Amino acid sequence: MSLLTQPSAPDGDRPLFRRAAPASTRGTGVWAPHGRTAEAATSPSPAPAGRSSPIASFAGKDSVKPSALVTGSPDAWPAAVSTVVAPCRPAGLPPVHAALICVALPGLAISTERGQLTGEGLEGFYQAGRRVLSRCRLRVAGREPLAVQARMVAADQARFTGTLCVSANPVPDPDVVVERTRYADGTERITLHSAVPRPLRLPVEVALGTDLAELGAIASGRAGPELRASVHDSGLRWSCVSGHSAVTAQPPPAEALASAGLLRWELELPPGGTRTVELRVRPDRTGPVRAVGRGATNPIAQATATGDDPGVQAFLHTCIEDLKALLLRDPVNPSDTYLAAGTPWRCGMAPANALAAARMTLPLGTRLAAGTLRTLGRTQITGDGPRSGMIPGPLRDAGPHLPPGCTGIEATLLFPVLLAEARRWGLPEQEAEELLPVVERCLRWLRGTVGDGPYLADPHPGGPLRCETQAHAHRAAVLGADLLDAYGRPGGTGLREWAQEVRTAFRQDFWIEDRGGGVPAAARTTEGRSLPHLGAGAAHLLDTGLLGSGSAAPGLLDKAQTDQLARLLGGPAMDSGWGLRTLAAKEAAYNPFGHRGGAVRVQETATAVAGLAAAGYEREAGSLLRGVLAAAEQFGGRLPEMYAGEPRTPGSSPLPHPAACRPAATAAASGVLLLAALAGIRPDAPGGAVTLRPIRSAPLGEISLVGLRVAGAPFSVRVSRLGLAMVEEAADGLRLGG
């Protein structure tokens, strides 16, 4: 029997949890019998010699988890699909919903609201997936400060405030305020503020420790004991076979006790004065690692939003800061950057997530899209065989009704879409043309895998025909054909003919008539049986993509079916009031915390809002948009990737999901897409035009978006309370289309 193995490295270049499969099943895409595991047909191929692949399989939402595989009824799916994965450990991931997470990858700091780092759970400073400091407990005058406030100051910075009474006579008012400012790069500043009208001499102690464990080991309860410290420079140092870590202090401590891991000072505070101690934790013999998002090569424009809704300015600012904090460099070509999936669980490349997030952030420029495409293009499977042309990716739990889906299929279909739309937003022609061979291989894989039929199975072969997979495949064919034609490459006509065939068949095969007006099938078996449950995957049917002259690509549904889908997505079973549920509340398998069984996933909600707005369903789009923004306010502006789908009621708040990544790339990128959808920006940089299709109902009142990027130049637009859009800044020669 094959087992789920847990390698010790959870950083961005290695998987946090990896599936091992018998040699007989590896690479075949066939699901193993009960009690065995199988590897996805698209698991990453070994990187060529001398290269390190940025792709990682991750625990949590994008890989098969214990108890994650709940298939449909035994007679609903082929026998090869039904499987149960052997558990890798009995407990779930440690909860992080209440944690303050400072991010500037590859640096990370995870804290509770108390501010003290106790070494419990996930607390600590991390560099490249390794915990370089797990314990940092502060005592002033022999006591721990009373925690009174904890808040995020920026994506990479948190501030903790505590108080102390040091007077001889007990009084209710504190006379010393202790502020701790913690940074993702491994810096902590401890500042004491005195309110006493006399000099104070305060003993200060910081107890330090670390296990130098990797995040995967910590998450699975295998961190191990703390290491013994040694005095080093003006602080302490820890060593093990896999690494070293050191903490230095300024000013240097009066005393350093290696046996206790303790640094001590005697600080003199003048009347009403302050003193500061700064700690710096680093992997040994290294300086501070500069985050990609803080450097000159940051590919994300610093756009701003203002308007009648007072929350939009902070919301967009937080989304952009979180995106910058999640940027990583391609180890093969460091000039190319991409977004990690999210912290703390997926601090590396997840191909489908990275492509989707880059697509949603196109209003902030095309450099991130270009870097993501080039990075993933280098991982494309080449040579002969059925997988040739695929972008590899791990399996992903698909919820209570379906077996796991393959994110490699999604990534392969997203690749030509992102390149086609990045070109519309202003990606230079030379850069786009250099990536065309990768697109052609993606499209050849699609046509070769589909064969003579209209539909694409997921996972292939033997899996179900998923509704959203057909939407991805159809969009890739239409936009891919447009891209091939633009550069005089062959194949566009065949792709359009196939897309027309899919549209004709889909409208009959994937639509289930009922008394309520019908519903799109979530999936079909290869034998033709339909699964009628309603979920957020149907929102992808509205995401048709962008063609030239600001026109939307044709969709898989006809007008009547689109009307009905819009009504369903806007109804109370799907619209929770905080966003779109991943499974309708009326379904028997509904679970408000099920990440694909009823929770609100921000990415699907943003996809629905943009698709509904583009198709003219403004009431439904506006309701979902206002719900997500209300949830963002409750989460302090930093949206998690998902939260519970409990209905919104007066005075209620969205319930956080304890295992959700926060920040997450797709959630932060969704904020950009949501606000851009208000203006309905449809650029055509090759044609020198931009078209605006704003939401006429102006669900947020007047709003101005400044500092976006179209055709490589700043672009600003304002939408009035009457739903009229006006361009206020644009590239020279860019005309407003009709």
Side-chain angles (χ1 to χ4, degrees):
M1 178 181 293
S2 64
L3 300 177
L4 288 178
T5 60
Q6 296 173 342
S8 58
D11 59 38
D13 295 333
R14 290 171 288 185
L16 179 57
F17 294 90
R18 181 181 291 121
R19 286 178 298 282
S24 60
T25 65
R26 191 166 296 156
T28 65
V30 178
W31 294 100
H34 179 86
R36 292 182 180 265
T37 60
E39 194 172 69
T42 54
S43 57
S45 299
R51 291 188 179 182
S52 60
S53 170
I55 295 181
S57 303
F58 301 93
K61 280 65 65 182
D62 279 358
S63 62
V64 180
K65 307 197 305 288
S67 74
L69 306 186
V70 184
T71 62
S73 60
D75 59 348
W77 304 113
V81 173
S82 191
T83 182
V84 175
V85 175
C88 60
R89 56 185 172 83
L93 298 172
V96 293
H97 60 282
L100 280 75
I101 302 179
C102 304
V103 189
L105 294 180
L108 186 66
I110 304 176
S111 318
T112 68
E113 291 185 345
R114 294 185 58 82
Q116 300 278 35
L117 298 181
T118 65
E120 298 177 358
L122 297 173
E123 294 177 38
F125 286 95
Y126 295 80
Q127 279 288 339
R130 184 182 297 278
R131 183 157 65 178
V132 291
L133 190 69
S134 60
R135 187 164 52 91
C136 183
R137 302 195 70 156
L138 171 68
R139 292 171 65 89
V140 179
R143 302 193 305 277
E144 292 191 4
L146 175 67
V148 296
Q149 187 185 71
R151 65 187 184 92
M152 296 296 302
V153 178
D156 64 342
Q157 181 181 351
R159 182 169 297 154
F160 306 90
T161 304
T163 61
L164 282 169
C165 292
V166 297
S167 301
N169 298 321
V171 292
D173 300 331
D175 39 32
V176 175
V177 175
V178 181
E179 280 191 351
R180 302 174 70 172
T181 306
R182 187 165 293 153
Y183 299 84
D185 69 356
T187 302
E188 176 152 344
R189 292 190 180 96
I190 303 169
T191 302
L192 278 61
H193 304 269
S194 172
V196 178
R198 57 181 174 79
L200 286 179
R201 183 181 179 86
L202 296 177
V204 175
E205 298 179 347
V206 178
L208 304 168
T210 191
D211 45 23
L212 287 176
E214 294 180 328
L215 183 57
I218 298 166
S220 59
R222 300 182 293 108
E226 283 191 358
L227 303 170
R228 290 183 60 87
S230 60
V231 176
H232 173 76
D233 197 9
S234 58
L236 299 173
R237 182 176 184 267
W238 299 266
S239 300
C240 68
V241 293
S242 57
H244 312 273
S245 177
V247 171
T248 57
Q250 185 62 38
E255 192 173 8
L257 302 177
S259 59
L262 198 66
L263 303 181
R264 289 178 175 167
W265 295 261
E266 291 286 340
L267 297 184
E268 301 279 355
L269 273 71
T274 64
R275 288 293 303 274
T276 297
V277 172
E278 183 172 280
L279 305 176
R280 293 183 179 271
V281 55
R282 302 278 187 262
D284 201 20
R285 293 185 294 276
T286 66
V289 179
R290 186 168 180 81
V292 179
R294 302 301 177 193
T297 58
N298 162 42
I300 298 172
Q302 189 62 50
T304 59
T306 56
D308 291 340
D309 188 318
V312 295
Q313 183 173 4
F315 175 63
L316 182 59
H317 176 79
T318 300
C319 289
I320 292 175
E321 288 298 299
D322 283 347
L323 289 169
K324 291 179 179 179
L326 292 170
L327 285 169
L328 288 173
R329 300 184 189 278
D330 177 15
V332 175
N333 187 347
S335 64
D336 290 333
T337 57
Y338 59 88
L339 288 167
T343 60
W345 308 121
R346 296 185 290 163
C347 295
M349 166 69 86
N353 289 63
L355 289 165
R359 184 181 176 216
M360 290 189 284
T361 57
L362 284 173
L364 302 179
T366 61
R367 290 172 55 203
L368 175 62
T372 304
L373 289 166
R374 285 192 289 263
T375 298
L376 286 173
R378 286 187 275 268
T379 73
Q380 188 177 42
I381 300 169
T382 57
D384 299 326
R387 299 168 61 202
S388 178
M390 289 197 71
I391 305 296
L395 294 176
R396 173 167 57 203
D397 182 354
H401 290 290
L402 289 164
C406 178
T407 63
I409 290 177
E410 185 178 349
T412 305
L413 299 174
L414 271 172
F415 195 100
V417 170
L418 177 57
L419 182 60
E421 293 192 329
R423 179 174 173 265
R424 294 292 172 198
W425 281 89
L427 181 68
E429 295 287 356
Q430 181 180 351
E431 294 185 48
E433 191 167 11
E434 288 172 352
L435 287 161
L436 272 181
V438 183
V439 167
E440 290 174 313
R441 288 191 288 269
C442 289
L443 296 173
R444 279 200 299 270
W445 171 85
L446 170 61
R447 292 304 314 277
T449 303
V450 169
D452 295 331
Y455 301 130
L456 179 63
D458 179 11
H460 181 81
L465 309 174
R466 302 175 200 267
C467 171
E468 62 190 90
T469 301
Q470 312 321 311
H472 293 320
H474 177 265
R475 186 180 59 220
V478 174
L479 270 65
D482 189 57
L483 192 62
L484 295 178
D485 287 355
Y487 289 97
R489 302 293 184 97
T493 300
L495 286 168
R496 288 193 184 88
E497 291 174 351
W498 176 78
Q500 178 61 59
E501 179 187 351
V502 175
R503 286 196 295 275
T504 301
F506 187 92
R507 292 171 184 178
Q508 178 177 349
D509 295 343
F510 272 81
W511 192 261
I512 303 172
E513 294 291 349
D514 60 24
R515 294 179 181 178
V519 63
R524 288 169 58 87
T525 68
T526 52
E527 293 81 15
R529 289 187 290 272
S530 298
L531 188 66
H533 77 266
L534 177 63
H540 292 282
L541 293 171
L542 299 172
D543 178 17
T544 59
L546 182 66
L547 296 176
S549 304
S551 61
L556 285 176
L557 300 180
D558 61 27
K559 180 63 167 62
Q561 291 169 343
T562 304
D563 288 344
Q564 173 65 359
L565 177 58
R567 187 184 68 80
L568 292 171
L569 295 181
M574 288 297 292
D575 185 352
S576 70
W578 302 113
L580 190 71
R581 294 185 177 98
T582 50
L583 185 65
K586 65 181 181 180
E587 300 289 343
Y590 167 72
N591 170 7
F593 282 94
H595 72 276
R596 295 188 187 274
V600 173
R601 290 182 60 87
V602 179
Q603 178 184 350
E604 277 82 3
T605 302
T607 298
V609 168
L612 288 165
Y617 301 96
E618 296 187 354
R619 181 184 63 82
E620 294 83 357
S623 176
L624 290 170
L625 170 64
R626 288 189 295 268
V628 173
L629 292 182
E633 184 177 359
Q634 296 291 324
F635 285 113
R638 173 181 272 186
L639 278 167
E641 61 177 328
M642 62 179 172
Y643 42 89
E646 291 283 9
R648 183 179 179 183
T649 57
S652 67
S653 297
L655 296 176
H657 194 293
C661 286
R662 182 169 175 258
T666 53
S670 292
V672 179
L673 177 61
L674 287 168
L675 296 183
L678 288 169
I681 306 168
R682 300 183 181 184
D684 184 12
V690 62
T691 303
L692 302 179
R693 294 284 188 271
I695 299 180
R696 298 287 185 176
S697 58
L700 302 182
E702 182 172 306
I703 185 171
S704 293
L705 301 173
V706 178
L708 304 178
R709 306 285 294 185
V710 175
F715 183 84
S716 301
V717 61
R718 179 167 60 90
V719 180
S720 73
R721 298 180 185 91
L722 299 177
L724 301 176
M726 293 151 279
V727 175
E728 298 188 330
E729 183 182 22
D732 292 339
L734 189 68
R735 69 182 187 279
L736 187 63

